[in-house]
Amino acid sequence: MHVVVSIAPLADFVAQVGGDRVTVTTLIPPGASPHTYEPTPAQVKEVAQARLLVLNGVGLEFWADKVVQSASNPNLIVVDTSQGIDILEGDEHEPTGNPHIWLNPRNAIVQVEHIRDALIQADPPHQTEYEARAAAYIAQLEALDTELAARVSGWSQKQFIAFHPAWIYFAQRYGLKQVAVIERTPGREPSPAELAEIINTARQIGARAIFAEPQFSAKAAQTIAEETGAQVLFLNPLGEEKEFVSYLDMMRYNIEQMEQALK
């Protein structure tokens, strides 16, 4: 079964549940920002030939309606994996809420359940196989959630500065607080006044690190770090630079980065 997804973590979820019964195409390539990327005509053809289109939802795929219409695929099942998840408020550019739901493993479990149900809808004869694979993977996500909670509980610093508002679901789940972000508007560098405000906040909380992201320029983060004596560390909400490994490995990489500054 050909399944098209928007971002790399969803591709991993589909592969975990679908096993060798699915081939997965990810639309947003490594290094690109989902906040600004739009699928190419060749990728629209992929959607035209797919059985499932798996979306994160919450406005992350702002292009979805246009792509589905252009693909004109009557057999396509569109899966919004955000259904049933409590959506946190977004900024002025996110009228439907903050879309970074997958960075809380409890939300990832809900997304996997939606994918399981969609695969069963598309391929009923293999329902038992999809259910078994989903159950096994959800058990791993639950173990990850327990592991992350235990690691964060011992940290001395609970406040942090991120590149953009990607980590508020993670922060809410594990008792952290995102006190500032560098890029308030997707694709726009902070103004001098905004930089000064972030530098002041970093000094107030005694930040030992400023978190940048590999999908974006680290120039502003480096400026803030130089002014405050902090270091620049990289969080990766999409889990890939050249090649995606796995959601589980991505989350463990990010917690290790945070531990360097917050433990």
Side-chain angles (χ1 to χ4, degrees):
M1 185 190 317
H2 186 195
V3 181
V4 175
V5 307
S6 56
I7 57 176
L10 293 177
D12 190 30
F13 297 164
V14 172
Q16 293 292 336
V17 180
D20 58 9
R21 297 200 176 280
V22 298
T23 57
V24 187
T25 298
T26 305
L27 294 180
I28 299 174
S33 169
H35 298 289
T36 54
Y37 185 84
E38 293 193 50
T40 65
Q43 290 178 318
V44 174
K45 290 182 180 178
E46 292 266 7
V47 176
Q49 298 168 358
R51 187 71 175 95
L52 298 183
L53 173 61
V54 179
L55 305 175
N56 178 77
V58 204
L60 186 71
E61 300 90 354
F62 57 91
W63 39 260
D65 289 345
K66 184 171 66 175
V67 167
V68 170
Q69 184 176 11
S70 299
S72 187
N73 177 353
N75 296 317
L76 184 69
I77 297 174
V78 180
V79 187
D80 179 350
T81 62
S82 70
Q83 294 299 306
I85 292 174
D86 291 333
I87 303 303
L88 300 178
E89 183 178 357
D91 59 29
E92 60 183 299
H93 306 285
E94 299 169 333
T96 56
N98 188 305
H100 304 88
I101 54 177
W102 69 93
L103 293 171
N104 175 346
R106 302 306 306 183
N107 291 342
I109 289 173
V110 175
Q111 295 182 287
V112 168
E113 291 171 338
H114 283 302
I115 290 167
R116 175 201 61 199
D117 294 345
L119 288 171
I120 292 171
Q121 180 185 349
D123 183 22
H126 298 101
Q127 174 175 347
T128 302
E129 183 176 335
Y130 296 134
E131 289 176 338
R133 285 181 173 277
Y137 188 54
I138 287 171
Q140 293 184 61
L141 292 172
E142 290 174 338
L144 173 70
D145 179 48
T146 301
E147 174 189 334
L148 297 183
R151 292 173 71 163
V152 173
S153 67
W155 291 358
S156 60
Q157 171 66 281
K158 300 290 187 181
Q159 302 180 97
F160 66 95
I161 296 173
F163 184 82
H164 85 296
W167 299 94
I168 62 170
Y169 290 93
F170 182 95
Q172 182 193 53
R173 174 64 184 163
Y174 301 113
L176 302 174
K177 185 176 182 180
Q178 178 185 270
V179 295
V181 295
I182 297 171
E183 186 177 276
R184 299 178 183 179
T185 301
R188 183 178 68 80
E189 293 282 328
S191 68
E194 290 170 342
L195 268 180
E197 184 179 337
I198 298 167
I199 290 169
N200 186 47
T201 300
R203 288 172 174 156
Q204 288 178 346
I205 68 170
R208 297 195 290 266
I210 307 299
F211 293 115
E213 295 178 11
Q215 292 82 16
F216 304 94
S217 167
K219 181 180 176 182
Q222 289 168 344
T223 299
I224 297 165
E226 289 169 1
E227 291 291 329
T228 60
Q231 61 179 324
V232 176
L233 296 174
F234 285 84
L235 300 179
N236 195 335
L238 292 173
E240 32 73 338
E241 291 184 56
K242 295 181 179 178
E243 182 177 358
F244 184 80
V245 181
S246 76
Y247 176 82
L248 298 174
D249 287 346
M250 176 192 81
M251 295 302 288
R252 291 191 171 104
Y253 162 81
N254 285 312
I255 200 80
E256 288 169 2
Q257 291 293 296
M258 288 185 175
E259 275 183 337
Q260 293 186 45
L262 305 180
K263 189 174 181 179

